[in-house]
Amino acid sequence: MPAFVSGLVAARRARRRSGLIPALVIGLYLLVAAAGPLLIAYDPVRTPLEDRLLPPGAATSSGGTALLGTDALGRDVFAQVVYGARTSVLIGLTTVAVCLLAGVAIGCVAGYYRGWVDSVLTRLVDILQAFPGILLAIVIAGVFTPSLWVIILALSVTGWISFARVARSVVLSVRERHWVDAARLIGVRPRRLLGRHIMPFTVGPLVAMATLEFALVVLAEAGLSFLGIGLPASSVSWGQTVANGKEYLSSAWWISAAPGLALSVLVVSVGLLGDTLTARYGRARSR
């Protein structure tokens, strides 16, 4: 019996550590995104052609060191990775926030009022889900002038659907609980009833989903920028940097490898953290 208990304790500690390491990695990315551009002296869009295709660690014409090398136009790859982290984090957080607010509002209204309101909103979700989300994003990004807000709009068109479905399912399961019925009987208004007695139960599942949605948004933004329909050329994105180095993979592999590795580590870390949160809150809901 003691061995069984110690095994349970060890398993719980292992689960906690499995979420701690990705959280630390994500925190490092957030720190780099917030403070990194303030600490580096290199301009990511400056094009000193005399420094083109320098390998990692090589000296530049200005007396500095290209830590991750330079690209075909002499731009510092390390600076592009750091500034690209800011771009990805900003777009990811903003898009997830927009999708979260819209999805929670629509899902809670549909789940609480049900009837024709639920039918109309559910049909809207079904119509949008009939089109691939990335395809709609490509169309929107291609029609409008490339900008940060156009990318956020393009990635938010269908991104709110998953949040709406989760919020609706939680509201449907909670709205018939006895404390909700009691609050309804004493005359609590629907807005207060939703905000105080129902919506707190949606926090855990939505936080877990937000982490996974963040990883998908970062990947989608990098894909759009790689295709050339993402951010304008004056901005810095990991997808743009990877695209700039695709023709030099045999001779200057570091141009695409550095941002690609940064993107992969961030997405994997967010995915692992999301899996940990999903498992934890999934057990909590099943109790």
Side-chain angles (χ1 to χ4, degrees), residues 135-147 150-151 153-154 224 228-230:
L135 180 59
L136 288 177
I138 291 174
V139 171
I140 294 175
V143 170
F144 296 97
T145 303
S147 68
V150 169
I151 293 298
L153 172 63
L224 293 176
I229 56 176

Side-chain angles (χ1 to χ4, degrees), residues 133-206:
I134 190 62
L135 180 59
L136 288 177
I138 291 174
V139 171
I140 294 175
V143 170
F144 296 97
T145 303
S147 68
L148 179 70
W149 296 109
V150 169
I151 293 298
I152 294 174
L153 172 63
L155 297 176
S156 302
V157 170
T158 58
W160 60 270
I161 293 177
S162 55
F163 293 102
R165 285 189 175 275
V166 170
R168 176 180 176 274
S169 64
V170 174
V171 171
L172 285 174
S173 64
V174 176
R175 72 183 305 276
E176 304 299 337
R177 302 290 178 89
H178 61 275
W179 66 85
V180 179
D181 290 335
R184 191 182 296 113
L185 287 174
I186 64 175
V188 177
R189 295 183 177 180
R191 182 182 301 178
R192 183 177 178 84
L193 192 64
L194 275 170
R196 188 165 185 176
H197 299 283
I198 296 179
M199 288 187 63
F201 289 88
T202 68
V203 173
L206 290 174

